Amino acid sequence: MRKELPEIVRADEWAPLVIRTDYTDDTAWSEIVAALARAVEGERDWEAAVHLVEDRRWDGVTGDEALAAAARDEELSVVFLADEATMRSPLRPLLALDLGADDDEALDPVYYQELIDSPPPREVRVAPEAVHMVHGNLQLANVDFSEFVEEAAADPGGVVRDLATDPGDGVAGNSYAGGPLR
């Protein structure tokens, strides 16, 4: 790691962890925070709990560095970064990083050589409106990270979207267990 990062202490395992790693656009960051709060308004009757890390010590941190720091939290399955690409895109897609991918390190090559040789992707772009849906489904192990990667691959923008709140140009419905997961 290029620098010592502060420990992340989350009070709620059901709150997605969003780390700001780019400080070039405060307006974009405000839009992201507002979109994360809007994600659970309307029909849903609960507060938008999000653990936001806004600390300049995280400025310029890479995905690998963020994964190493976030991996200290054993309850965490995914971490979301507001990086340079997030700030530049009008959609503000966060970079979701799969913490579960490290579980493959102890695989026996006799049985899992193909998986060892071709590990699944460990990152995908997620619209702020879909962060709660992605995080919740990964926490509950309803969906594998690779399924979200496939969903993003089918989206013209390469982004996982919560189609209930943002139909955009995306796919006309999720295929998980017969419909969108919430």
Side-chain angles (χ1 to χ4, degrees), residues 57-101:
R57 291 180 287 181
W58 291 89
D59 189 16
V61 167
T62 66
D64 287 339
E65 292 169 329
L67 278 172
R72 298 177 205 154
D73 183 340
E74 295 178 6
E75 299 298 318
L76 192 61
S77 58
V78 63
V79 62
F80 300 90
L81 302 185
D83 61 3
E84 182 181 3
T86 303
M87 300 302 181
R88 287 191 325 228
S89 170
L91 183 59
R92 309 282 184 235
L94 298 156
L95 181 62
L97 300 169
D98 180 19
L99 284 145

Side-chain angles (χ1 to χ4, degrees), residues 39 43-44 129 133 161-167 174 180-182:
E43 296 177 19
R44 300 172 187 161
E129 295 80 8
M133 183 263 304
R161 303 170 191 253
D162 184 347
L163 299 177
T165 59
D166 176 24
N174 294 334
L181 295 173
R182 302 290 172 257

Side-chain angles (χ1 to χ4, degrees), residues 6-127:
E7 183 176 358
I8 301 166
V9 179
R10 295 180 312 135
D12 180 0
E13 73 179 272
W14 296 106
L17 174 61
V18 178
I19 302 173
R20 183 177 182 183
T21 64
D22 183 285
Y23 287 81
T24 59
D25 191 338
D26 289 336
T27 301
W29 176 246
S30 295
E31 291 172 9
I32 292 162
V33 172
L36 289 166
R38 273 194 315 272
V40 292
E41 291 178 355
E43 296 177 19
R44 300 172 187 161
D45 191 24
W46 45 277
E47 186 178 330
V50 180
H51 186 93
L52 298 174
V53 175
E54 187 175 9
D55 181 333
R56 286 199 179 266
R57 291 180 287 181
W58 291 89
D59 189 16
V61 167
T62 66
D64 287 339
E65 292 169 329
L67 278 172
R72 298 177 205 154
D73 183 340
E74 295 178 6
E75 299 298 318
L76 192 61
S77 58
V78 63
V79 62
F80 300 90
L81 302 185
D83 61 3
E84 182 181 3
T86 303
M87 300 302 181
R88 287 191 325 228
S89 170
L91 183 59
R92 309 282 184 235
L94 298 156
L95 181 62
L97 300 169
D98 180 19
L99 284 145
D102 290 337
D103 296 342
D104 297 341
E105 290 178 359
L107 294 176
D108 184 342
V110 171
Y111 301 103
Y112 299 102
Q113 191 61 49
E114 184 178 335
L115 183 58
I116 293 168
D117 291 342
S118 300
R122 71 179 309 164
E123 63 182 48
V124 69
R125 290 282 168 185
V126 177

Side-chain angles (χ1 to χ4, degrees), residues 116-147:
I116 293 168
D117 291 342
S118 300
R122 71 179 309 164
E123 63 182 48
V124 69
R125 290 282 168 185
V126 177
E129 295 80 8
V131 163
H132 294 281
M133 183 263 304
V134 169
H135 176 264
N137 280 295
L138 290 171
Q139 285 295 100
L140 291 170
N142 285 342
V143 178
D144 290 333
F145 194 84
S146 62
E147 292 178 72

